[in-house]
Amino acid sequence: MPRTVVIAGAGHGAGQVVASLKQHKFDGRIVLVGEEPYLPYQRPPLSKKYLAGEMPPERLYFKPESFYDDDNIEILLETRIEGIDRQSHAISTAGGNSIRYDKLVLATGSRVRNLPVPGADLAGIHYLRSIGDVEAIRSDLAKAKHIVIVGAGYIGLEVAAVCRQMGLEVTVIEMAGRVMSRVVSEQVSNFFEKLHTRHGVDIRLSTGLAAFEGDGKLTHVVTASDERIAADLAVVGVGIVPNTELAQNAGLAVNDGIVVDDQCRTDDADIYAIGDCTWHPNSIYDRYLRLESVHNALEQAKTAAANICGIETHYAQVPWFWSDQYDIKLQIAGLSQGFDTAVLRGDPASASFACFYLRDGILVAVDAINSPREFMQSKALIANRARIATDVLADPDVLLRDLA
């Protein structure tokens, strides 16, 4: 068994690697290296309860500080890793230190995609990815009246919901023709567009961003059609970029993510990678994927830790995601991209329904809106590539668990 495991990154997945190594009775040295000044914490609440002030900081943390109070665990925060020397089995930090490893886990995560438009450096323009980002947004929200959100994905719409509940005027601009267009069907998009409109959000679809305006501080957002929208602050949510530079500079295979096998190993047998930064195989969909998902990061962390400890484990999971907006919980199981048939179960007007996605008659995903039963019971069907008649899926009296 290796004597030293170094974890590059201190996100949710990195915390799970530590937890899983401890669970498997790993008695060697664990070194966790992170750039932020925080122990591993959960990111999903940042745009929801934490932004709304409904969650104290200590509840964000993956584990309490005492969990890491172990002679075998070394935590290096506010520390940037500059490079990997694969031949020497060592990482180098920005402070000039070298740390040797027997096994290295890259949990480098991702960063926000920046918008390269005029005025992008004005005060009052925010991205949301970290605790620090939320603290900066909160500070500006206290003095704001009108917020403009760029991007109608999960993050943008979650922030819109929180800001409306604070009483702010909210405008959302989105380049695509519908909200959350990358992840849900037209029926589900329409439901969420109506939900936000009903709560007073001004949604501008098929609208591009041209520039931000202001004299040192943001005052207006300018659209591609030259409309100027007054804004005290803006939150940009236009996607993320995987942090693959460390791996690429070390000569590891990269393809829209760090390439790993189903044991989370890179093409270097002593280096693993997990989470948002990985390009990994999924046996259920029979293709490689990169997933921006807490569930994926946690399960890959468990897989990597088990294999490091000599317990052969293969990653094979149905991806799942969730989003909280107002009193609506959207839960997604599977990946709907490439579907050819969408089937509704329940009435969207009731705010409790599900949308099932099939490709060639096989169930590949479900969007469950305030419908946890359909979400939970669909996972096994998706994993088993179940063929289910559309009339059966549409019938709320048929329990999906009976079809498994």
Side-chain angles (χ1 to χ4, degrees), residues 230-250:
D232 299 311
L233 74 149
V235 176
V236 180
V238 291
I240 61 175
V241 179
N243 293 322
T244 60
E245 291 79 7
L246 197 60
Q248 193 161 4
N249 291 339

Side-chain angles (χ1 to χ4, degrees), residues 5-207:
V5 174
V6 173
I7 306 165
H12 207 153
Q16 182 63 60
V17 173
V18 177
S20 294
L21 288 172
K22 291 181 68 172
Q23 180 184 354
H24 293 307
K25 310 300 182 185
F26 177 75
D27 60 359
R29 179 186 179 211
I30 301 171
V31 183
L32 184 146
V33 186
E35 293 187 29
E36 291 188 63
Y38 309 105
L39 291 169
Y41 63 90
Q42 308 170 68
R43 294 191 192 275
L46 293 178
S47 56
K48 307 176 185 73
K49 289 188 175 182
Y50 190 67
L51 177 62
E54 299 173 359
M55 176 182 283
E58 57 270 20
R59 284 191 56 202
L60 281 177
Y61 289 105
F62 176 65
K63 295 287 186 182
E65 187 174 358
S66 59
F67 175 80
Y68 305 95
D69 188 13
D70 187 310
D71 290 341
N72 293 336
I73 300 176
E74 184 176 351
I75 306 293
L76 301 176
L77 301 178
E78 298 183 89
T79 302
R80 179 179 178 82
I81 299 175
E82 294 285 355
I84 302 169
D85 185 333
R86 292 167 56 187
Q87 187 171 358
S88 298
H89 276 62
I91 62 164
S92 57
T93 71
N97 293 324
S98 178
I99 304 171
R100 194 186 178 284
Y101 65 84
D102 293 304
K103 300 292 182 182
L104 173 64
V105 180
L106 299 177
T108 49
S110 54
R111 60 187 182 275
V112 296
R113 188 183 301 279
N114 288 285
L115 284 178
V117 299
D121 58 348
L122 289 170
I125 299 170
H126 299 276
Y127 294 81
L128 200 164
R129 186 67 182 161
S130 68
I131 291 176
D133 292 336
V134 176
E135 298 303 330
I137 292 171
R138 276 178 171 174
S139 178
D140 277 359
L141 282 177
K143 307 179 289 287
K145 180 181 178 183
H146 192 175
I147 177 173
V148 173
I149 297 169
V150 182
Y154 293 140
I155 296 295
L157 294 183
E158 287 169 0
V159 172
V162 170
C163 289
R164 278 304 297 145
Q165 290 170 318
M166 290 179 174
L168 290 166
E169 297 176 20
V170 180
T171 301
V172 176
I173 65 173
E174 167 60 49
M175 284 192 64
R178 55 188 180 86
V179 305
M180 296 192 294
S181 60
R182 287 196 313 122
V183 292
V184 299
S185 67
E186 186 173 352
Q187 297 99 315
V188 178
S189 284
N190 290 342
F191 171 83
F192 279 95
E193 181 184 350
K194 290 176 182 176
L195 173 70
H196 282 273
T197 300
R198 193 164 61 249
H199 279 85
V201 178
D202 181 5
I203 297 181
R204 314 282 185 90
L205 301 174
S206 302
T207 300

Side-chain angles (χ1 to χ4, degrees), residues 206-241:
S206 302
T207 300
L209 174 72
F212 296 108
E213 282 187 351
D215 185 9
K217 171 75 170 65
L218 177 70
T219 59
H220 291 84
V221 172
V222 184
T223 71
S225 59
D226 288 330
E227 181 184 6
R228 297 171 72 248
I229 304 172
D232 299 311
L233 74 149
V235 176
V236 180
V238 291
I240 61 175
V241 179

